[in-house]
PDB file of all heavy atoms in Angstrom:
ATOM      1  N   GLY A 176     -20.249  21.387  10.811  1.00 81.00           N
ATOM      2  CA  GLY A 176     -20.893  20.081  10.814  1.00 81.00           C
ATOM      3  C   GLY A 176     -21.307  19.610   9.437  1.00 81.00           C
ATOM      4  O   GLY A 176     -20.992  20.210   8.406  1.00 81.00           O
ATOM      5  N   LEU A 177     -22.037  18.497   9.431  1.00 81.00           N
ATOM      6  CA  LEU A 177     -22.473  17.884   8.186  1.00 81.00           C
ATOM      7  C   LEU A 177     -23.368  18.820   7.384  1.00 81.00           C
ATOM      8  O   LEU A 177     -23.252  18.921   6.160  1.00 81.00           O
ATOM      9  CB  LEU A 177     -23.224  16.579   8.487  1.00 81.00           C
ATOM     10  CG  LEU A 177     -23.867  15.873   7.293  1.00 81.00           C
ATOM     11  CD1 LEU A 177     -22.817  15.455   6.283  1.00 81.00           C
ATOM     12  CD2 LEU A 177     -24.673  14.670   7.763  1.00 81.00           C
ATOM     13  N   ALA A 178     -24.275  19.535   8.070  1.00 80.00           N
ATOM     14  CA  ALA A 178     -25.211  20.401   7.356  1.00 80.00           C
ATOM     15  C   ALA A 178     -24.480  21.539   6.657  1.00 80.00           C
ATOM     16  O   ALA A 178     -24.796  21.898   5.519  1.00 80.00           O
ATOM     17  CB  ALA A 178     -26.258  20.949   8.318  1.00 80.00           C
ATOM     18  N   GLY A 179     -23.490  22.134   7.321  1.00 81.00           N
ATOM     19  CA  GLY A 179     -22.730  23.199   6.690  1.00 81.00           C
ATOM     20  C   GLY A 179     -21.944  22.715   5.494  1.00 81.00           C
ATOM     21  O   GLY A 179     -21.897  23.376   4.446  1.00 81.00           O
ATOM     22  N   LEU A 180     -21.323  21.547   5.621  1.00 83.00           N
ATOM     23  CA  LEU A 180     -20.585  20.972   4.499  1.00 83.00           C
ATOM     24  C   LEU A 180     -21.509  20.695   3.326  1.00 83.00           C
ATOM     25  O   LEU A 180     -21.216  21.025   2.173  1.00 83.00           O
ATOM     26  CB  LEU A 180     -19.880  19.696   4.958  1.00 83.00           C
ATOM     27  CG  LEU A 180     -19.014  18.932   3.969  1.00 83.00           C
ATOM     28  CD1 LEU A 180     -17.917  18.183   4.719  1.00 83.00           C
ATOM     29  CD2 LEU A 180     -19.822  17.912   3.166  1.00 83.00           C
ATOM     30  N   ALA A 181     -22.672  20.094   3.631  1.00 83.00           N
ATOM     31  CA  ALA A 181     -23.610  19.752   2.569  1.00 83.00           C
ATOM     32  C   ALA A 181     -24.125  20.998   1.865  1.00 83.00           C
ATOM     33  O   ALA A 181     -24.268  21.026   0.629  1.00 83.00           O
ATOM     34  CB  ALA A 181     -24.781  18.949   3.148  1.00 83.00           C
ATOM     35  N   THR A 182     -24.405  22.057   2.622  1.00 84.00           N
ATOM     36  CA  THR A 182     -24.907  23.290   2.022  1.00 84.00           C
ATOM     37  C   THR A 182     -23.895  23.873   1.044  1.00 84.00           C
ATOM     38  O   THR A 182     -24.250  24.362  -0.032  1.00 84.00           O
ATOM     39  CB  THR A 182     -25.227  24.311   3.125  1.00 84.00           C
ATOM     40  OG1 THR A 182     -26.221  23.765   3.997  1.00 84.00           O
ATOM     41  CG2 THR A 182     -25.745  25.609   2.535  1.00 84.00           C
ATOM     42  N   ASP A 183     -22.619  23.837   1.392  1.00 82.00           N
ATOM     43  CA  ASP A 183     -21.591  24.408   0.532  1.00 82.00           C
ATOM     44  C   ASP A 183     -21.452  23.656  -0.786  1.00 82.00           C
ATOM     45  O   ASP A 183     -20.884  24.185  -1.741  1.00 82.00           O
ATOM     46  CB  ASP A 183     -20.253  24.423   1.267  1.00 82.00           C
ATOM     47  CG  ASP A 183     -20.222  25.494   2.351  1.00 82.00           C
ATOM     48  OD1 ASP A 183     -20.934  26.500   2.199  1.00 82.00           O
ATOM     49  OD2 ASP A 183     -19.514  25.308   3.349  1.00 82.00           O
ATOM     50  N   PHE A 184     -21.946  22.439  -0.841  1.00 87.00           N
ATOM     51  CA  PHE A 184     -21.895  21.682  -2.084  1.00 87.00           C
ATOM     52  C   PHE A 184     -23.241  21.652  -2.799  1.00 87.00           C
ATOM     53  O   PHE A 184     -23.455  20.846  -3.691  1.00 87.00           O
ATOM     54  CB  PHE A 184     -21.415  20.251  -1.814  1.00 87.00           C
ATOM     55  CG  PHE A 184     -19.935  20.152  -1.573  1.00 87.00           C
ATOM     56  CD1 PHE A 184     -19.452  19.837  -0.320  1.00 87.00           C
ATOM     57  CD2 PHE A 184     -19.036  20.394  -2.599  1.00 87.00           C
ATOM     58  CE1 PHE A 184     -18.089  19.746  -0.094  1.00 87.00           C
ATOM     59  CE2 PHE A 184     -17.672  20.302  -2.380  1.00 87.00           C
ATOM     60  CZ  PHE A 184     -17.183  19.981  -1.122  1.00 87.00           C
ATOM     61  N   GLY A 185     -24.163  22.522  -2.378  1.00 85.00           N
ATOM     62  CA  GLY A 185     -25.420  22.650  -3.105  1.00 85.00           C
ATOM     63  C   GLY A 185     -26.586  21.900  -2.520  1.00 85.00           C
ATOM     64  O   GLY A 185     -27.645  21.822  -3.142  1.00 85.00           O
ATOM     65  N   ILE A 186     -26.454  21.334  -1.304  1.00 83.00           N
ATOM     66  CA  ILE A 186     -27.563  20.636  -0.652  1.00 83.00           C
ATOM     67  C   ILE A 186     -28.337  21.639   0.193  1.00 83.00           C
ATOM     68  O   ILE A 186     -27.760  22.376   0.990  1.00 83.00           O
ATOM     69  CB  ILE A 186     -27.056  19.487   0.243  1.00 83.00           C
ATOM     70  CG1 ILE A 186     -26.281  18.470  -0.583  1.00 83.00           C
ATOM     71  CG2 ILE A 186     -28.216  18.823   0.961  1.00 83.00           C
ATOM     72  CD1 ILE A 186     -27.124  17.690  -1.544  1.00 83.00           C
ATOM     73  N   ASP A 187     -29.646  21.671   0.033  1.00 73.00           N
ATOM     74  CA  ASP A 187     -30.504  22.568   0.805  1.00 73.00           C
ATOM     75  C   ASP A 187     -30.916  21.863   2.081  1.00 73.00           C
ATOM     76  O   ASP A 187     -31.724  20.933   2.061  1.00 73.00           O
ATOM     77  CB  ASP A 187     -31.735  22.957  -0.017  1.00 73.00           C
ATOM     78  CG  ASP A 187     -32.618  23.970   0.710  1.00 73.00           C
ATOM     79  OD1 ASP A 187     -32.121  24.570   1.673  1.00 73.00           O
ATOM     80  OD2 ASP A 187     -33.787  24.131   0.309  1.00 73.00           O
ATOM     81  N   VAL A 188     -30.353  22.286   3.226  1.00 63.00           N
ATOM     82  CA  VAL A 188     -30.630  21.663   4.525  1.00 63.00           C
ATOM     83  C   VAL A 188     -31.335  22.676   5.404  1.00 63.00           C
ATOM     84  O   VAL A 188     -30.886  23.811   5.551  1.00 63.00           O
ATOM     85  CB  VAL A 188     -29.330  21.183   5.205  1.00 63.00           C
ATOM     86  CG1 VAL A 188     -29.639  20.527   6.541  1.00 63.00           C
ATOM     87  CG2 VAL A 188     -28.591  20.228   4.303  1.00 63.00           C
ATOM     88  N   ASP A 189     -32.468  22.266   5.995  1.00 53.00           N
ATOM     89  CA  ASP A 189     -33.199  23.163   6.894  1.00 53.00           C
ATOM     90  C   ASP A 189     -32.404  23.400   8.150  1.00 53.00           C
ATOM     91  O   ASP A 189     -31.903  22.454   8.779  1.00 53.00           O
ATOM     92  CB  ASP A 189     -34.566  22.557   7.270  1.00 53.00           C
ATOM     93  CG  ASP A 189     -35.480  22.486   6.063  1.00 53.00           C
ATOM     94  OD1 ASP A 189     -35.294  23.317   5.151  1.00 53.00           O
ATOM     95  OD2 ASP A 189     -36.372  21.606   6.047  1.00 53.00           O
ATOM     96  N   GLY A 190     -32.266  24.652   8.572  1.00 45.00           N
ATOM     97  CA  GLY A 190     -31.521  24.976   9.783  1.00 45.00           C
ATOM     98  C   GLY A 190     -32.329  24.690  11.014  1.00 45.00           C
ATOM     99  O   GLY A 190     -33.534  24.920  11.059  1.00 45.00           O
ATOM    100  N   GLU A 191     -31.664  24.213  12.074  1.00 40.00           N
ATOM    101  CA  GLU A 191     -32.338  23.948  13.335  1.00 40.00           C
ATOM    102  C   GLU A 191     -32.069  25.046  14.354  1.00 40.00           C
ATOM    103  O   GLU A 191     -32.711  25.121  15.383  1.00 40.00           O
ATOM    104  CB  GLU A 191     -31.885  22.599  13.914  1.00 40.00           C
ATOM    105  CG  GLU A 191     -32.381  21.425  13.095  1.00 40.00           C
ATOM    106  CD  GLU A 191     -32.004  20.106  13.739  1.00 40.00           C
ATOM    107  OE1 GLU A 191     -31.249  20.118  14.716  1.00 40.00           O
ATOM    108  OE2 GLU A 191     -32.485  19.072  13.277  1.00 40.00           O
ATOM    109  N   GLY A 192     -31.062  25.891  14.077  1.00 39.00           N
ATOM    110  CA  GLY A 192     -30.778  26.965  15.003  1.00 39.00           C
ATOM    111  C   GLY A 192     -31.640  28.167  14.717  1.00 39.00           C
ATOM    112  O   GLY A 192     -32.610  28.140  13.998  1.00 39.00           O
ATOM    113  N   ASP A 193     -31.296  29.331  15.288  1.00 35.00           N
ATOM    114  CA  ASP A 193     -32.032  30.542  15.024  1.00 35.00           C
ATOM    115  C   ASP A 193     -31.068  31.604  14.551  1.00 35.00           C
ATOM    116  O   ASP A 193     -29.879  31.440  14.495  1.00 35.00           O
ATOM    117  CB  ASP A 193     -32.802  30.999  16.278  1.00 35.00           C
ATOM    118  CG  ASP A 193     -31.919  31.052  17.494  1.00 35.00           C
ATOM    119  OD1 ASP A 193     -30.670  31.054  17.348  1.00 35.00           O
ATOM    120  OD2 ASP A 193     -32.452  31.111  18.590  1.00 35.00           O
ATOM    121  N   GLY A 194     -31.614  32.741  14.171  1.00 35.00           N
ATOM    122  CA  GLY A 194     -30.763  33.832  13.734  1.00 35.00           C
ATOM    123  C   GLY A 194     -30.074  33.503  12.440  1.00 35.00           C
ATOM    124  O   GLY A 194     -30.667  33.222  11.425  1.00 35.00           O
ATOM    125  N   GLU A 195     -28.749  33.569  12.464  1.00 35.00           N
ATOM    126  CA  GLU A 195     -27.960  33.400  11.252  1.00 35.00           C
ATOM    127  C   GLU A 195     -28.023  31.999  10.697  1.00 35.00           C
ATOM    128  O   GLU A 195     -27.652  31.762   9.561  1.00 35.00           O
ATOM    129  CB  GLU A 195     -26.505  33.785  11.523  1.00 35.00           C
ATOM    130  CG  GLU A 195     -26.315  35.244  11.814  1.00 35.00           C
ATOM    131  CD  GLU A 195     -24.864  35.585  12.062  1.00 35.00           C
ATOM    132  OE1 GLU A 195     -24.062  34.670  12.267  1.00 35.00           O
ATOM    133  OE2 GLU A 195     -24.539  36.769  12.036  1.00 35.00           O
ATOM    134  N   ALA A 196     -28.458  31.050  11.487  1.00 34.00           N
ATOM    135  CA  ALA A 196     -28.490  29.675  11.002  1.00 34.00           C
ATOM    136  C   ALA A 196     -29.431  29.512   9.840  1.00 34.00           C
ATOM    137  O   ALA A 196     -29.298  28.579   9.059  1.00 34.00           O
ATOM    138  CB  ALA A 196     -28.910  28.749  12.133  1.00 34.00           C
ATOM    139  N   ASP A 197     -30.424  30.425   9.686  1.00 35.00           N
ATOM    140  CA  ASP A 197     -31.390  30.280   8.626  1.00 35.00           C
ATOM    141  C   ASP A 197     -31.033  31.074   7.381  1.00 35.00           C
ATOM    142  O   ASP A 197     -31.791  31.149   6.437  1.00 35.00           O
ATOM    143  CB  ASP A 197     -32.782  30.718   9.119  1.00 35.00           C
ATOM    144  CG  ASP A 197     -33.310  29.772  10.173  1.00 35.00           C
ATOM    145  OD1 ASP A 197     -33.018  28.569  10.081  1.00 35.00           O
ATOM    146  OD2 ASP A 197     -34.006  30.240  11.078  1.00 35.00           O
ATOM    147  N   GLU A 198     -29.851  31.701   7.364  1.00 35.00           N
ATOM    148  CA  GLU A 198     -29.469  32.457   6.192  1.00 35.00           C
ATOM    149  C   GLU A 198     -29.204  31.522   5.029  1.00 35.00           C
ATOM    150  O   GLU A 198     -28.667  30.433   5.199  1.00 35.00           O
ATOM    151  CB  GLU A 198     -28.200  33.268   6.486  1.00 35.00           C
ATOM    152  CG  GLU A 198     -28.407  34.350   7.547  1.00 35.00           C
ATOM    153  CD  GLU A 198     -27.119  35.121   7.766  1.00 35.00           C
ATOM    154  OE1 GLU A 198     -26.277  35.118   6.863  1.00 35.00           O
ATOM    155  OE2 GLU A 198     -26.968  35.720   8.825  1.00 35.00           O
ATOM    156  N   PRO A 199     -29.511  31.952   3.797  1.00 34.00           N
ATOM    157  CA  PRO A 199     -29.193  31.127   2.648  1.00 34.00           C
ATOM    158  C   PRO A 199     -27.697  30.999   2.461  1.00 34.00           C
ATOM    159  O   PRO A 199     -26.934  31.854   2.884  1.00 34.00           O
ATOM    160  CB  PRO A 199     -29.859  31.869   1.481  1.00 34.00           C
ATOM    161  CG  PRO A 199     -29.994  33.286   1.949  1.00 34.00           C
ATOM    162  CD  PRO A 199     -30.186  33.212   3.413  1.00 34.00           C
ATOM    163  N   ALA A 200     -27.301  29.934   1.770  1.00 34.00           N
ATOM    164  CA  ALA A 200     -25.877  29.686   1.573  1.00 34.00           C
ATOM    165  C   ALA A 200     -25.218  30.823   0.818  1.00 34.00           C
ATOM    166  O   ALA A 200     -24.052  31.142   1.032  1.00 34.00           O
ATOM    167  CB  ALA A 200     -25.687  28.364   0.823  1.00 34.00           C
ATOM    168  N   SER A 201     -25.950  31.479  -0.093  1.00 33.00           N
ATOM    169  CA  SER A 201     -25.356  32.540  -0.881  1.00 33.00           C
ATOM    170  C   SER A 201     -24.927  33.718  -0.030  1.00 33.00           C
ATOM    171  O   SER A 201     -23.983  34.425  -0.341  1.00 33.00           O
ATOM    172  CB  SER A 201     -26.348  32.997  -1.959  1.00 33.00           C
ATOM    173  OG  SER A 201     -27.544  33.472  -1.351  1.00 33.00           O
ATOM    174  N   ALA A 202     -25.637  33.920   1.103  1.00 32.00           N
ATOM    175  CA  ALA A 202     -25.285  35.040   1.975  1.00 32.00           C
ATOM    176  C   ALA A 202     -23.959  34.832   2.647  1.00 32.00           C
ATOM    177  O   ALA A 202     -23.331  35.770   3.120  1.00 32.00           O
ATOM    178  CB  ALA A 202     -26.390  35.261   3.021  1.00 32.00           C
TER     179      ALA A 202
END
Side-chain angles (χ1 to χ4, degrees):
L177 174 62
L180 182 152
T182 300
D183 287 332
F184 284 111
I186 300 291
D187 184 16
V188 181
D189 293 333
E191 291 184 352
D193 50 17
E195 293 181 346
D197 293 326
E198 295 181 23
S201 60

